[in-house]
Amino acid sequence: MKVVLSIAGSDSGGGAGIQADIKTAQYHGVFMTTAITALTAQNTLGVSQVVVLDPSFVKEQIISILSDFDISAVKIGMLGSKSLITEIKECIKDLNIPIILDPVAISRAGSKLIDDEAIESLKELFKYSFLITPNKYEAKLFFDVNSIEDIKKLKNPQTNILFKNMFEDKNKTIDILLKKDSSIIKFESPKADEKNTHGTGCSYSSSIASLLAKDKYLEEAIKEAKTYIYKAIKNAPNLGKGNGPINHSLK
């Protein structure tokens, strides 16, 4: 069985972060190990408190996993501070496996999630990543991208970049992959229910990581992951009073 490492925050509501990553990996038939970066008190209505863990302890979690398991891919999610990002960089810079970075900086609603110092540090992880998965707000923040025309102007990026849900369309979601060789591929899927989408970004990146761990090609992994997310939203259990979780198991 292939093993993936998720470096991310914990969601007490179970729909995003580490919890979503584990459920997603299990659906795809891979084993998920974890290094928790932060604890959150949250539910479908929002986040009430965040406790960022000591960077040295996060590093110790990663070292513990890498020293024992044969890791086939890494997914990186919420990183809350510059010092934490620095520790993560030291842990991953020499790994020769796919690293999927979900550059969590701005929420789907447009709210800033980390400070400016951490944002600048996060950019340092780009060159060590096999794929970066920014949402449309993070695309603007990190790459000054608002449209496919802007994406076409980004020549020879440091790595592959998947720009998520870049365009407003009432019937479908459109993601744009800018490959390291500057080629562009479009991925489309029907638009599902807007209410139960909590944790879709986490689940999408961990789905891609799981599929890459199983030796799927990048384009194939993205296509399968996008289909998985659509079905998981479509079959959401409709839990909670707010933005509910998706159905990771599809059962």
Side-chain angles (χ1 to χ4, degrees):
M1 178 179 279
K2 297 289 187 178
V3 183
V4 177
L5 168 61
S6 173
I7 304 170
S10 169
D11 171 11
S12 59
I18 288 288
Q19 287 84 345
D21 293 343
I22 294 171
K23 295 169 189 176
T24 299
Q26 188 168 11
Y27 171 82
H28 288 297
V30 304
F31 186 84
M32 179 69 78
T33 59
T34 64
I36 298 176
T37 60
L39 305 176
T40 67
Q42 67 173 293
N43 53 30
T44 64
L45 297 171
V47 180
S48 59
Q49 188 174 352
V50 178
V51 176
V52 179
L53 298 186
D54 186 277
S56 63
F57 179 65
V58 177
K59 182 180 180 180
E60 191 62 31
Q61 292 179 74
I62 297 170
I63 291 171
S64 179
I65 295 302
L66 294 177
S67 67
D68 187 34
F69 293 87
D70 182 12
I71 302 298
S72 296
V74 176
K75 174 264 170 88
I76 301 176
M78 180 182 180
L79 303 176
S81 68
K82 178 182 178 180
S83 57
L84 177 55
I85 294 168
T86 299
E87 293 285 12
I88 299 297
K89 182 177 71 174
E90 290 303 308
C91 291
I92 68 166
K93 65 180 184 180
D94 296 321
L95 296 179
N96 190 29
I97 54 178
I99 295 172
I100 313 306
L101 173 63
D102 187 9
V104 179
I106 304 178
S107 72
R108 284 161 55 95
S111 301
K112 202 171 180 181
L113 301 174
I114 56 177
D115 62 30
D116 291 338
E117 192 176 52
I119 286 170
E120 287 304 310
S121 297
L122 196 55
K123 294 177 183 178
E124 297 175 14
L125 297 182
F126 289 1
K127 64 183 177 182
Y128 302 109
S129 304
F130 177 66
L131 178 69
I132 306 171
T133 61
N135 61 32
K136 62 182 179 181
Y137 301 107
E138 291 155 350
K140 174 64 177 175
L141 175 67
F142 290 116
F143 304 103
D144 197 24
V145 161
N146 284 311
S147 66
I148 192 167
E149 287 73 25
D150 292 336
I151 294 173
K152 289 177 180 177
K153 294 174 184 176
L154 293 176
K155 300 299 182 183
N156 302 312
Q158 289 179 299
T159 187
N160 304 297
I161 308 169
L162 181 64
F163 295 98
K164 299 181 298 188
N165 203 19
M166 284 294 295
F167 312 105
E168 295 296 333
D169 190 301
K170 64 180 181 179
N171 298 316
K172 57 190 175 183
T173 64
I174 302 170
D175 300 340
I176 304 293
L177 173 65
L178 174 64
K179 298 188 71 175
K180 200 171 182 179
D181 63 6
S182 297
S183 61
I184 292 175
I185 303 172
K186 183 185 292 187
F187 297 87
E188 298 183 4
S189 69
K191 183 168 283 188
D193 172 30
E194 287 292 331
K195 181 178 183 292
N196 298 302
T197 56
H198 181 61
T200 50
C202 305
S203 303
Y204 195 9
S205 56
S206 56
S207 178
I208 294 170
S210 297
L211 291 162
L212 289 172
K214 296 173 71 175
D215 300 319
K216 299 280 187 178
Y217 293 112
L218 178 58
E219 294 91 332
E220 185 181 14
I222 292 171
K223 184 177 180 180
E224 286 191 29
K226 192 166 178 62
T227 299
Y228 164 70
I229 293 298
Y230 168 73
K231 290 180 178 178
I233 297 172
K234 198 73 175 174
N235 293 280
N238 201 33
L239 301 175
K241 299 174 183 177
N243 182 18
I246 64 177
N247 185 352
H248 294 92
S249 70
L250 291 180
K251 292 181 181 178

